[in-house]
Amino acid sequence: MRVGRKIALVGGVPILVAAAIAAAGWFLLTQGERARAGALLAARVYHDLTLARLVRDDFVAARADARAAFETRFFDLTDRAGRGLATLQNQARTRGQAERAAAARQSLDRYVERMRDFSAVARENDGLIAEMSRRASRLTDLAEQARERQQTSNVDLAWTLTGKVNRLRATRDAVTGLNAVLAAAWQLALARERGAPPGTERSERTRLVHAGRDLAAALRATSRETEAAEAERLTALDSAASDRLTEWGERLLKIVTSEQRTLDDEVAQLLTYAGEANATEQATQNIGITTLKLGQRTAEALARRDAEAVSAMLGEGERLSASASALPISPLIQSEMIEAIDGWRARLATTVDGLKRQNAMIAEMDGLAAGLSEAARALNDDAVEDADRFGTFLGQLLLAGAAVGLLLGALVALAVARSILVPLRQLQGDMIALAADPKAEGLSGTQRTDELGDIARATNFFVTEIGRRERALRRAKDQADNALQDLHQAQDDLIRAEKLASLGQLVAGVAHEINTPLGIALTTATLVRDETRAFQGLVTAGTLSRSRLTHFVDRVGEGSQLLCANLTRAADLVHGFKQVAVDRASDERRRFDLDVWLGELLASLQPMLRKGGHRIERDDPSGIVVDTYPGVLAQVVTNLVANAVVHGFAGAERPGTITVRVSHAGSLVRLEVSDDGGGIAPEHLGRIFDPFFTTARSHGSTGLGMHIVHNLVTAKLQGRIAVESEPGRGTLVRLEFPRAPGEVERTGTARRPAGAQAP
Amino acid sequence: MRRRARDRIGYRVRAAATVAVMLAAVTGASPGQARTLVYCSEGNPESLDPGLVTTTTAMSAAWQMFNSLVEFAPGTTDLRPALAESWQVSDGGRTYDFTLRAGVRFHANAGFTPSRPLNADDVLFSFLRQWKPDHPYHRVGGDFAYFRDLGLAGLIEGIERLDERRVRFRLKEPDATFLPNLAQAFGSILSAEYAEQLARRGVPEELARAPVGTGPFRFVDYRPDVAVRYRSFPEYWRRAAAAEAETVEALVFSITPNTAVRLTKLKAGECHVMAFPGTADLDAVRTDPDLALVSGEELNIAYLALNTARPPMTDPRVRRAINLAIDRRAIVEAVYGPAGTVAHNPLPPSSWAFHRDLPEPPFDREAAARLLAEAGLAEGFETDLWFLPVSRPYNPNGRRVADMIRVDLSRIGVRARLVTRDWTAYRAALYGGEPTMMLYGWTSDNGDPDNFMNVLLGCRAAEPGGANLARWCDPGYDAAVQAARRTDDREVRTRLYRDAQVRFREAAPWVPLAHTLVHMAIRRTVNGFRTDPLGRTLFEGVTLTE
């Protein structure tokens, strides 16, 4: 195993153990917390359910108008319990709990459902009971009405009866009167037949007449006017009419007797009816009272929710209905009464049905509520138990975890330390041995996969690499030395080539400079020859004239003068160039006047300038005499002027001006070559002395000019060189060199990498 | 309600609405306060099955619920279409094709809801059950006396269903009384569907106990001695499209046998129409500002039948003696008062067949005694005299009539023992031929002379159980009456009936007592009520002002 891992292991095991304990602890704490919250929730659900049950009992017992509040309260409570159960279900730790909570929720839903049903039935029943009570009260009213009607009717009946009795009495009087008349008539007839004394007969007659009058009165009392008159008439008649009287009397007697009997019957019937009517009145009143009692008892039974007792009321209602319909009470009221009772019964039956259903619902709800409470309690117990278990478990876990962590950490640390230290010591020994003898065998333990193996392998590699590098360095040093030599050779070659190149330039310049005086001299010589030939011809021809001679002399004189001047000039030029060329080629040190030398040099550069029409300006003569290398200096100035022309004025629209100044700079001589050309870009400025750096390679520039300049200035002249330039403002190159350089050759500087500015 | 009262203008409606509002406030708009018309009727209907009823009391109870194929326009004896909207007579008066009215609804009750309107099956059921002895309903409830007594069983050859709405009656011989007979109560059309349902349920007797018909009122309940209750039938085929505010919604026959009590109830407003006020009370009714008297001639006869099957009434001399011995004028005077006229014949004088040339039978006690002596009963004899236990339109007081007859008879030595039973038993005894002398009466069912002459005195009706209470069968008389029936020639018939009346007078099976005007006392709040010559008490179209 790798050391890192081991260290991680050593550090990590306790950390991990601690983290695991912390995580487990956190988890347990959370769980415990949740369990405790669950317990609280379950307790609240239990409380809500218990309260809901009480509220439901209140609802059941409440009056119809007071129910709504209890109902709302009930649904609030069950709603809250339902939410509690839902939370419990969601937070359930075990499936069992979740299922229990879910089952409880279902039970609760059913419970609430039942309650809604119950409430609906209760409303329905309330409506029915209200309707029943209206009907019962209507029935009582009706019974009272019926009784009153019956009473009125009974009073009427009493009057009718009185009338009939009076009529009966009158009729009976008429019958009695008729019998008296018939008896008197019979007595009279008997007296006549027997030949009774006149006194007797008269008295019988008088009796008959009186009986007749009595009868008439009695008949009048029965509204029998005709018969009354007839009675008076017939009884007042003489005896001859007695048969008619008898006949009449008997006929009337038949009628009146039958009427009397009819009246007897009628009175008897009326009396019977009156008895019945009284009984009816009583019964009607009883119906009212029974209704009242029944309503009262029914209401009580309903309040007690005693379905059996209420059912018994149904039977009583049926009896009441039967007695109401059997009574000969006013049909106007009777139908209504029967309908009221039947309606009452129908509603009562429905109510009983509802009551039974309600009772069943209460039982079911009680069952559900008990189950629910049990479930809530079980959930609570579960949660409390869980919480306790989590607490205990947490304590144990902390203790055991800490112990295990410590032990494990210690063991692991020991093992790891051992596994690291042993190979390290080995490595140490090996390395010491290796240091003592680099050629010795490599380190042991390279086969290990851990960091010690890495270290062994790395050390091995390091030792090998050091050897290899050493060899490479040696080889590189040799190569570098060779290259340096090659470089020196090449430099020399280059410088030589450069020199030759500038020499070529010089030659070209010389040729050009000389060409002019030589050309003039040639032309003049030709003219002189031609003049001479012409003169010879004249002379030969003898046509020479004085004037001609004069003219010829003048012309030859002029020509000679011209020839002398031009040839002198050419000779001067050649002399000058010879010096320059010598300087160049000889590379020798000499003492010379800087102004003169510069004049000659610049003159040799004229052809280069003339192409572009550029000018060189010079300061006043400085009178400085130096003892240095004129060839080197000439090459430097030539290169600088050439650079000005080639780079500074490249692409310029107008002819440039190169200014050359010479001045004293302390012990040094300062030579400044400046131009008013395009300047050097700043990015190029730093690299200007680098070999082969050029911006005009396409124009055949080698990029060695300034490098050589730098080398020559610093190496040969032992001076320094600086370039100042700004794009568009021209370039100033400043040389400062001693008047007479020392003899010491400073090779070191030449080998230094090229910098922007020589020191 | 208030809006309704505003919408309409009539004071009465507004008053009714106000009453309804008040009642609704009291009862919570229960259906109890329906506009109820109470008829204080004179007795229990013996049945509610129109095929079984024989009294005008029961017929009136039935008429509220039923319709026949053809009917007598109320208050007249004119036939008009009823459940049959038309009919065709063909084959020389032997074939009657009836076309039934479409869409006639039957009543529904607690156990039955009709699934279809009236059709030919109902007509067939209504008649076949009376006609065919093997019909499942033939033995249910009792004896179809009318159908039998009218001889329809022998007259009808076949009843056929032509299609859903057409029924054909084929007769063995032409019969002038056929159509008027069909207009009688027994011709009422019952629901075959209901009967089938009852048979399936095993309670065929319910057909008479909870009748279902097509009439203006549907049956609610019947409690003997208390009331028969009806409700207006909203789907009645003849009901006016827009129900009037005063339409009677509930009808009660409040059974009140005692005339005095009836009047008391009427005066107290416990009933709105009262049957047959007592003769002595007519003036009192007339003078009462709340009451009115509705009178009308009725085609009726009150008679004393002499059972010719029981000695000594087998002897025509005895029967004639009895006729002579009874002072009918005294009876009419005392019992009927101005409402009665002395009867000469079985036919009322307003009948076209009434024999006006026959003199009024005399009251001659001596002649009577002589005839008795001739018959060998000079000492007189003892007999029984049955009197009506209830007041009838033709006899307001049977007992009193009987009393007077008894007195009259006692004068010729005939000692009559007065007997009566309750109304149903009384009729049963009479139809059973038990009494020797019996008071009874008849109100024409159809206005036809045959309805008196044949139904009450024909030979067929003389059979046990028949309406010929005298059990008198005179071949000559019967031949005349039957001949008169087979023709519709009024002259021929008149002649035949006159002949029959002469024969009746000779044989004297009855003592004809009286014809009456019928009186009904009503409260003035009742509109549209009228008496009927056929003794029907009809409440269709009667309205009640609260």
Side-chain angles (χ1 to χ4, degrees), chain B residues 14-234:
Chain B
R14 213 174 311 146
T18 312
V19 168
V21 167
M22 284 160 58
L23 286 172
V26 173
T27 60
S30 78
Q33 70 278 15
R35 186 179 293 265
T36 304
L37 186 138
V38 182
Y39 167 53
C40 275
S41 69
E42 72 280 14
N44 286 322
E46 67 273 12
S47 173
L48 295 169
D49 182 339
L52 299 173
V53 296
T54 54
T55 65
T56 51
T57 305
M59 285 176 194
S60 290
W63 275 125
Q64 315 306 327
M65 304 180 281
F66 289 97
N67 297 111
S68 44
L69 291 174
V70 293
E71 68 183 7
F72 297 107
T76 72
T77 56
D78 303 330
L79 279 176
R80 68 177 187 187
L83 293 183
E85 62 184 13
S86 65
W87 57 88
Q88 284 183 321
V89 185
S90 56
D91 195 14
R94 293 203 305 155
T95 302
Y96 287 77
D97 289 347
F98 293 96
T99 301
L100 302 181
R101 198 173 291 279
V104 175
R105 306 296 307 178
F106 278 103
H107 307 154
N109 64 24
F112 172 70
T113 307
S115 68
R116 57 169 178 78
L118 170 84
N119 70 17
D121 293 335
D122 300 312
V123 178
L124 256 61
F125 167 77
S126 302
F127 288 100
L128 290 180
R129 70 175 185 130
Q130 302 186 60
W131 181 28
K132 297 288 185 188
D134 56 350
H135 191 277
Y137 270 93
H138 191 70
R139 295 275 161 228
V140 176
D143 182 21
F144 298 108
Y146 252 82
F147 189 85
R148 186 195 57 224
D149 292 351
L150 290 171
L152 286 167
L155 177 67
I156 296 172
E157 192 173 67
I159 308 175
E160 288 145 26
R161 177 191 206 274
L162 295 181
D163 58 34
E164 187 81 4
R165 281 180 54 208
R166 287 202 303 145
V167 182
R168 169 171 292 170
F169 284 74
R170 281 186 293 106
L171 307 184
K172 287 177 181 160
E173 56 189 17
D175 190 329
T177 65
F178 180 67
L179 267 187
N181 280 344
L182 289 192
Q184 298 181 34
F186 78 89
S188 294
I189 304 304
L190 283 69
S191 166
E193 191 188 4
Y194 181 46
E196 268 169 40
Q197 197 210 59
L198 293 179
R200 269 205 308 281
R201 277 160 49 190
V203 285
E205 63 277 6
E206 284 292 304
L207 192 69
R209 287 188 197 151
V212 163
T214 57
F217 294 93
R218 65 176 171 82
F219 176 74
V220 175
D221 76 338
Y222 167 41
R223 287 177 188 273
D225 299 325
V226 179
V228 189
R229 290 191 179 78
Y230 308 90
R231 279 248 165 211
S232 162
F233 179 42

Side-chain angles (χ1 to χ4, degrees), chain A residues 129-208:
Chain A
I129 289 167
E131 176 67 20
M132 271 164 58
S133 113
R134 275 200 297 280
R135 279 185 187 256
S137 118
R138 174 69 184 148
L139 190 58
T140 318
D141 288 352
L142 285 171
E144 184 55 21
Q145 275 182 38
R147 196 190 61 76
E148 279 169 9
R149 275 173 179 268
Q150 193 65 50
Q151 203 171 26
T152 315
S153 163
N154 288 358
V155 171
D156 282 352
L157 191 64
W159 279 109
T160 307
L161 195 56
T162 310
K164 290 284 177 194
V165 168
N166 288 341
R167 172 94 186 168
L168 177 62
R169 192 177 295 124
T171 308
R172 194 171 290 142
D173 289 349
V175 171
T176 313
L178 264 174
N179 281 328
V181 165
L182 287 173
W186 185 75
Q187 285 291 340
L188 184 59
L190 198 67
R192 279 191 189 149
E193 212 164 288
R194 281 183 190 160
T200 310
E201 194 186 325
R202 199 167 50 250
S203 89
E204 289 298 334
R205 256 218 75 77
T206 311
R207 196 177 137 202
L208 178 62

Side-chain angles (χ1 to χ4, degrees), chain A residues 75 105 290 539 603 675 682 741:
Chain A
F75 285 124
R105 274 181 81 190
T290 310
V539 165
D675 63 64

Side-chain angles (χ1 to χ4, degrees), chain A residues 131 134-135 138 141 149 153 156-157 160 164 224 227 247 250-251 254-256 258-259 261-262 265-266 269-270 273 322 325-328 330-332 334-336 338-339, chain B residues 23 26-28 30-33 36 38 223 226 229 231 252 254 258 260-261 264-265 268-270 272 281 327 329-330 333-334 365 397 399-400 403-404 406-408 411:
Chain A
E131 176 67 20
R134 275 200 297 280
R135 279 185 187 256
R138 174 69 184 148
D141 288 352
R149 275 173 179 268
S153 163
D156 282 352
L157 191 64
T160 307
K164 290 284 177 194
R224 285 190 170 87
E227 283 84 353
E247 189 62 24
E250 281 182 356
R251 188 170 182 266
K254 181 176 71 181
I255 291 169
V256 176
S258 71
E259 187 187 349
R261 185 184 299 280
T262 301
D265 284 354
E266 278 185 7
Q269 281 171 13
L270 281 171
Y273 180 75
S325 48
L327 281 177
S330 165
L332 285 168
Q334 192 168 32
S335 299
E336 209 177 325
I338 292 166
E339 277 173 29
Chain B
L23 286 172
V26 173
T27 60
S30 78
Q33 70 278 15
T36 304
V38 182
R223 287 177 188 273
V226 179
R229 290 191 179 78
R231 279 248 165 211
V252 180
S254 179
N258 188 298
V261 176
T264 307
K265 283 188 172 182
E270 293 298 323
H272 305 97
D281 298 323
D327 182 358
R329 286 200 163 273
E333 206 173 293
R365 206 170 272 154
N397 193 335
R399 170 67 197 247
R400 194 169 174 193
D403 267 341
M404 292 174 75
R406 185 174 61 96
V407 172
D408 282 341
R411 299 291 294 273

